Amino acid sequence: MTASESNPPVKLPNEPWITPAIVAEHGLSPEEYQRVLAIMGRDPTMVELGIFSAMWSEHCSYKSSKVWLKKLPTTAPWVICGPGENAGVIDIGDGQAAIFKMESHNHPSFIEPYQGAATGVGGIMRDVFTMGARPIANVNALRFGDPAHPKTRHLVEGVVAGIAGYGNCMGVPTVAGETNFHRAYNGNILVNAMTVGVVPADRIFYSAAAGLGNAVVYVGSKTGRDGIHGATMSSTEFNEDSESKRPTVQVGDPFVEKLVLEACLELMATDAIVAIQDMGAAGLTSSSFEMADKGELGVEIELDKVPMREPGMNPYELMLSESQERMLMVLKPGREEMARKVFEKWELDFAIIGRLTDTRRMVLRWHGDVVASIPIPPVVTQAPVYERPWRETPLPAPLAADAVPPPADYRTALLKMTGSPDLSSKEWIWRQYDHLIMGNTAIRPGGDAAVIRVPDGGGKALAITSDCTPRYCAAHPETGGRQAVAEAWRNLTATGALPLACTDNMNFGNPQKPEVMGQFAGCIVGMAAACAALDFPIVSGNVSLYNETEGRAILPTPVIGGVGLRPDVNGCVDIGLREAGLTLLLVGDTAGHLGQSIFLRDIHGREEGPPPPVDLAVERRAGDFVRGQIRAGRIAACHDLSDGGLLVALAEMAMSGGVGGSIAIPADTGCAAHAFLFGEDQARYLLATNAPEAVTAAARSAGVPVRPLGQSGGDTLTVEGLLTISVADLRRTHAAWMPNYMAGKA
């Protein structure tokens, strides 16, 4: 037994005695604290209490979600690494792998929108390049409150500026995403950031420490007091005192992160690194614990050797700071000086702060004195895991056939929908992002999915998207979970890419409320079914709970970030109608489902009814057919049908490509005209083709319903007998809302 195990750590000057109030301030329940005492065999020091608080926070331990996350499919022949590492890894051929993940920075972005969003982007990029990949694309999924709410405009402005400021300075294009508004997010916005990187498949780096006696090395920026208790703050709901949590928001520097990226990749080209982990949530605490636990080793850290940005810092602050742009490494013996030279060349801090041991303990020293000594395995194996009570959300009764009347005027209705906060152009946002840097963006933001050429990939490309329809998830979580996965799969398919895998960001309210836990459980069940049916495993992800303010929860929002592979970037298609004389074909059956539709909400002011059903076998059949026709070169444009239904999709295709079109509603649809045009039935695509006979014949063979609707051409959009509108008028209205709103004119 070592001295550090047999003797309790020293108590630091001015360190308070642990009281129930201090335990509660650290987010631990009385029962959880009793578990701490059982593990330690004594009262913990403040440093040790802070470590347990961080490691057992909802953000780091997944204690309310772990039992449900195990139900998600995570494997496939092309999956190299699933959940459990910094990011997921999939094989994309030619000796290359794609590494990607999505993370939330919801609470920090509400408190301090610029830094919250910026550090969210920085953190997710570190998750990717810590595994050896150079980031090639960023994606974001944003949810804001009611546009009329007094804070919404300020939050939009700050979040978008933060994403742009960090991503642009890093030189990584932001190529896709989604932005929605709903009053449920008034007190708790969502900022979900995703990064995709590419790496040689034989040069992937993992976080498990190895090598008794090997050096533990700190690199990057100095440690300051920003972000202390960030993980704990992200594991509680908001109240009227939320602004006081501003000090828990990290401060980022993208120029330093760019240096960290280049230095890490340079060192990764050598054989120096045994293991590497970024310092994200809970900073040095989580990174050191995760590396040691995965390697089944112990670690001793001399905290006074940690590079510090501020005077007078103490061990508690050093272990819990979430200062940005920092990494922890284990190096091979004899490689320390070579590594030091690399980081000093990039003007970054480099410090050997510890060594690996065989004790399976985390021992922290401060100027020679032991200030913490914690057994590592039980912190992980005995972490609280809760099977929270949950209550299922029943499927709402179907709307009666005549419950949703047609619009008084179809032209007015279409303009109102395409110019609404949710469906209007988000160009004001993505123009602030450098979406073309690196020169590999083949399909830009604004369509179903972005497409990025793979560097040194022999012409192949990755399609990337993020998707979720929270109003569906609120109405019936299981159906909403299915639909989120299915829509991401459809959006990748609509470019001609084969969907390979996805990452998730599970944004929900307080899991201690049975109805919220039921939403989480229902979404997981639906997602799992869709992932299995579509061969679309989840390889990484994030859970963000307690997204509530004064007891009011957000809509359940399980965002799906999808990645697909296209063998030849030149064969990709987007949504734009760019030539006349193409036949417009509707793939899939239309029942005219208007429950929870944009039409029902924006035209009639109602949010009711069930979401559209999702038949996964039909989804698979339709998507495989569409992808096959794109790869056969028969499709000039393709758009999946989702928010707003057929007519909105057609309008978006016309606005994107600048060419109009004319359609007629078939006589045998079995539903009213407005339901056919605005219904949000799933598993549908709108195709533009110059080979309609070949496509129709292939559809017959595949057992996929296809209907001819009309032709592209002209400068107007026409539905025979119902409306004619110029594409220019559509574009003008579609483009106006966001800039007008941000200028205070809407």
Side-chain angles (χ1 to χ4, degrees), residues 514-597:
E515 65 273 17
V516 171
M517 201 64 227
Q519 292 172 339
F520 188 93
C523 285
I524 287 284
V525 169
M527 290 163 56
C531 289
L534 301 174
D535 287 331
F536 199 35
I538 289 179
V539 298
S540 60
N542 172 249
V543 175
S544 176
L545 301 177
Y546 295 96
N547 289 287
E548 295 202 7
T549 298
E550 297 181 7
R552 294 187 297 274
I554 63 166
L555 298 180
T557 312
V559 178
I560 303 297
V563 175
L565 179 65
R566 171 76 205 194
D568 179 7
V569 68
N570 295 321
C572 292
V573 300
D574 64 11
I575 70 172
L577 288 176
R578 294 185 176 84
E579 58 181 296
L582 299 173
T583 298
L584 301 173
L585 298 176
L586 174 62
V587 175
D589 283 325
T590 299
H593 188 99
L594 290 172
Q596 298 298 330
S597 66

Side-chain angles (χ1 to χ4, degrees), residues 219-243:
V219 300
S221 285
K222 288 179 170 60
T223 296
R225 290 189 170 95
D226 53 320
I228 293 173
H229 284 308
T232 307
M233 181 269 290
S234 294
S235 304
T236 57
E237 61 184 79
F238 280 163
N239 55 36
E240 67 275 7
D241 298 322
S242 295
E243 291 297 325

Side-chain angles (χ1 to χ4, degrees), residues 110-294:
F110 184 81
I111 295 170
E112 177 50 66
Y114 184 95
Q115 289 295 348
T119 52
V121 171
I124 194 61
M125 281 197 276
R126 285 197 305 280
D127 279 341
V128 167
F129 73 72
T130 195
M131 297 190 72
R134 180 174 290 278
I136 64 167
N138 289 332
V139 174
N140 56 75
L142 312 177
R143 264 85 192 181
F144 298 103
D146 185 340
H149 190 276
K151 288 196 72 169
T152 299
R153 186 180 291 106
H154 160 73
L155 292 168
V156 172
E157 184 174 45
V159 165
V160 171
I163 292 169
Y166 212 103
N168 293 355
C169 291
M170 283 291 292
V172 178
T174 300
V175 298
E178 49 184 338
T179 303
N180 298 130
F181 297 84
H182 192 279
R183 62 185 178 278
Y185 304 103
N186 281 350
N188 201 126
I189 64 173
L190 301 185
V191 176
N192 297 169
M194 175 180 172
T195 294
V196 181
V198 172
V199 64
D202 61 353
R203 298 294 296 168
I204 300 167
F205 289 80
Y206 297 98
S207 59
L212 192 63
N214 280 352
V216 176
V217 177
Y218 172 118
V219 300
S221 285
K222 288 179 170 60
T223 296
R225 290 189 170 95
D226 53 320
I228 293 173
H229 284 308
T232 307
M233 181 269 290
S234 294
S235 304
T236 57
E237 61 184 79
F238 280 163
N239 55 36
E240 67 275 7
D241 298 322
S242 295
E243 291 297 325
S244 68
K245 297 180 179 179
R246 191 177 300 274
T248 63
V249 178
Q250 309 94 323
V251 177
D253 186 336
F255 298 105
V256 172
E257 177 136 328
K258 175 65 171 172
L259 300 179
V260 175
L261 164 65
E262 298 301 340
C264 285
L265 293 182
E266 181 176 333
L267 189 60
M268 287 168 170
T270 73
D271 66 346
I273 298 175
V274 174
I276 182 169
Q277 173 75 44
D278 87 292
M279 293 192 220
L284 185 55
T285 289
S286 63
S287 56
S288 56
F289 260 90
E290 288 171 15
M291 294 177 79
D293 180 64
K294 289 176 182 176

Side-chain angles (χ1 to χ4, degrees), residues 486-505:
E487 186 173 355
W489 191 85
R490 279 200 308 271
N491 281 333
L492 299 174
T493 291
T495 69
L498 175 65
L500 291 180
C502 51
T503 181
D504 62 11
N505 208 137

Side-chain angles (χ1 to χ4, degrees), residues 26 390 510 691:
H26 282 73
W390 59 282
N510 184 343

Side-chain angles (χ1 to χ4, degrees), residues 398-422:
L399 298 176
D402 58 353
V404 184
D409 179 81
Y410 279 86
R411 184 182 187 279
T412 301
L414 180 59
L415 285 172
K416 183 174 182 179
M417 291 170 68
T418 56
S420 68
D422 276 6

